[in-house]
Amino acid sequence: MTLQVLFFGLIAALAELLGGCLIYFKRSWPQRAQEMLLALGAGFILALVFIKLIPASIETLGETAALYCMIGFATIHFFEHTIVGHLHFGEETHADVMVSKAASISAFSGLFVHAFFDGFAISVGLHFDFLLGILIFLAVLLHKIPEGLTIGSIVLTSGYSRRGVLLSSGGLALATMLGACSVLIFGQVSEGLIGMGFAFSAGVAMYVGASDLIPEINKSKDRIPPLVVFLGMLLFYVSDRALEAALR
Ligand SMILES: [Zn+2]
Ligand SMILES: [Zn+2]
């Protein structure tokens, strides 16, 4: 199990680094392609939260699951938008706000915590239930390239060189791996604690879908990306069925 978790964590981390490399080689990418990827990721992760993660959390912990979901949601809100002034997914286009290197370091630290819990969710998910863990991995993977792209463009806009792009996306990749490494202690903790970690991850995933991704899609000039969110939900359904048939 440990090797599997580290393997899936590594793939997610590499996708993050790939997003950074895209910005390293070319400053801006077609807005439309970014929106589509964010929309697919949003639909997928939200369907996962509502159809699988919340019911499974309640089944394990009973009513107290709601509390851990909320703590997960609140933790990401705290690190991404309470102590950080300006952070959103997608290309950073607000040069008037990203005026200092300090602003980008602050955004990086918010995303660092987010990326850590991406890895953590994969790890706790695979421990909780292998099939659910794979679905969480797919949900993370879908938004990892846009995440790497996000930090890369923040860093460039705030005045760092292209080397900073690689360092920052590499830093987030490392955070993802650190989160995945939490598997190393899961062997020693109780089932109850794993259940709490799982419910916490459900809240984190809800925040990523509903607050990081959806608002970016809704800013789109036309209604195609919001429509693609439903395609993401459908993609979740098809992936779930396919995995169910293959693994169970
Ligand atoms: Zn901005
Ligand atoms: Zn993420």
Side-chain angles (χ1 to χ4, degrees):
M1 173 62 79
T2 305
L3 272 181
Q4 279 169 328
V5 171
L6 295 179
F7 172 74
F8 286 120
L10 184 66
I11 303 277
L14 288 177
E16 183 115 50
L17 197 57
L18 174 64
C21 286
L22 291 178
I23 290 285
Y24 180 83
F25 290 114
K26 186 166 172 273
R27 172 69 180 85
S28 63
W29 287 84
Q31 193 67 32
R32 180 39 64 113
Q34 291 184 51
E35 284 174 353
M36 292 304 181
L37 203 51
L38 288 173
L40 266 186
F44 192 100
I45 202 167
L46 286 172
L48 170 71
V49 167
F50 290 117
I51 309 282
K52 295 280 179 181
L53 302 189
I54 290 178
S57 302
I58 293 173
E59 201 177 302
T60 310
L61 298 175
E63 269 184 22
T64 48
L67 178 67
Y68 295 103
C69 285
M70 194 184 76
I71 294 173
F73 191 96
T75 300
I76 302 301
H77 180 65
F78 179 76
F79 284 106
E80 278 191 5
H81 296 287
T82 311
I83 55 173
V84 175
H86 182 84
L87 174 60
H88 56 84
F89 267 63
E91 201 174 320
E92 184 52 82
T93 48
H94 310 106
D96 51 323
V97 187
M98 270 300 152
V99 284
S100 69
K101 291 184 174 175
S104 75
I105 290 171
S106 149
F108 172 80
S109 54
L111 279 174
F112 190 89
V113 174
H114 165 130
F116 173 85
F117 284 115
D118 280 341
F120 177 82
I122 293 173
S123 184
V124 78
L126 284 166
H127 258 268
F128 187 84
D129 178 285
F130 188 72
L131 195 150
L132 270 183
I134 300 281
L135 287 168
I136 293 173
F137 161 72
L138 290 176
V140 168
L141 189 65
L142 269 174
H143 79 267
K144 271 301 188 191
I145 294 177
E147 198 173 292
L149 231 124
T150 297
I151 191 61
S153 76
I154 287 174
V155 162
L156 273 191
T157 309
S158 71
Y160 277 102
S161 67
R162 291 199 305 161
R163 204 169 73 99
V165 171
L166 289 187
L167 283 176
S168 59
S169 55
L172 294 190
L174 180 72
T176 310
M177 269 321 278
L178 285 176
C181 283
S182 52
V183 68
L184 301 173
I185 57 160
F186 282 150
Q188 285 113 53
V189 301
S190 68
E191 287 289 310
L193 219 54
I194 289 178
M196 285 175 204
F198 183 81
F200 176 92
S201 294
V204 170
M206 189 190 288
Y207 194 85
V208 172
S211 180
D212 282 335
L213 306 182
I214 288 278
E216 284 313 300
I217 300 150
N218 292 350
K219 279 183 205 157
S220 169
K221 289 187 181 66
D222 62 75
R223 298 297 90 200
I224 302 296
L227 202 63
V228 172
V229 171
F230 298 107
L231 212 61
M233 290 175 172
L234 188 69
L235 179 66
F236 168 78
Y237 178 77
V238 173
S239 311
D240 181 34
R241 292 285 101 185
L243 283 171
E244 192 88 42
L247 296 174
R248 285 203 175 130

